């Protein structure tokens, strides 16, 4: 299984809007091989969002980015982001909720 | 809800041993307020483990560290770690699996 851990910095004050965009179609991802898609906001930085994901495969994750819902969310979110991202890709060993 | 994203660097070649220690009592954490506890290994660094967690509260997370199973796992893992950790604490907004 494939894990993705990413952060993004939003323009000041736009964090909650972006989080809502990310969550808009989260539940629908299950049908495309997503096991977990969790959005959290940093406790130490008011403009940073963290997303942690578990997918059946990297291919499933990458394909999901082409879904209309994902493309719409990305297009709507981009103007609200500064362009500062971090990303970690992992191979999931296991756990509760994996 | 409370989110925790952490990484740890293991001594060379000890990563899988540490991952197994972390997972040994993962399922038992559900009874203590854990919603998700996922262990992954970095795809870009052979000695780094990532753990992503979702808990009903920070208090539940912190209390779990005092559980005998957790103390045993920490004691067994410490000698296999270099001491290089990263950690992010988040407030979970929502998502699939949160």
């Amino acid at each position: 299984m494939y894990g993705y851990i990413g952060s993004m910095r939003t323009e000041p004050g736009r964090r909650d809007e972006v989080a809502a965009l990310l969550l808009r179609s989260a539940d629908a991802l299950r049908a495309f091989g997503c096991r977990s898609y969790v959005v959290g906001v940093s406790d130490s930085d008011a403009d940073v969002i963290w997303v942690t994901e578990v997918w059946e495969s990297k291919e499933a994750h990458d394909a999901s980015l082409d879904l209309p819902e994902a493309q719409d969310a990305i297009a709507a979110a981009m103007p609200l982001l500064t362009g500062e991202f971090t990303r970690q890709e992992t191979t999931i060993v296991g756990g509760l909720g994996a």
Side-chain angles (χ1 to χ4, degrees), chain A:
Chain A
M1 281 191 290
Y2 170 80
Y4 177 90
I5 302 169
S7 71
M8 63 194 81
R9 179 174 296 282
T10 70
E11 297 294 350
R14 311 306 291 267
R15 184 189 69 181
D16 296 342
E17 268 172 276
V18 175
L21 283 169
L22 294 172
L23 287 171
R24 204 165 56 181
S25 48
D27 286 339
L29 296 177
R30 189 185 296 277
F32 298 94
C34 184
R35 296 277 189 96
S36 176
Y37 182 94
V38 177
V39 177
V41 292
S42 168
D43 285 351
S44 55
D45 190 324
D47 299 325
V48 171
I49 294 173
W50 286 88
V51 181
T52 59
E53 307 177 32
V54 175
W55 290 80
E56 286 169 5
S57 65
K58 177 174 171 54
E59 291 69 27
H61 166 267
D62 296 353
S64 75
L65 298 176
D66 295 328
L67 293 169
E69 303 90 329
Q71 290 291 312
D72 291 348
I74 292 167
M78 274 308 182
L80 310 178
L81 300 175
T82 65
E84 290 170 65
F85 300 95
T86 69
R87 58 181 285 153
Q88 299 291 339
E89 294 182 292
T90 69
T91 298
I92 302 297
V93 180
L96 185 64

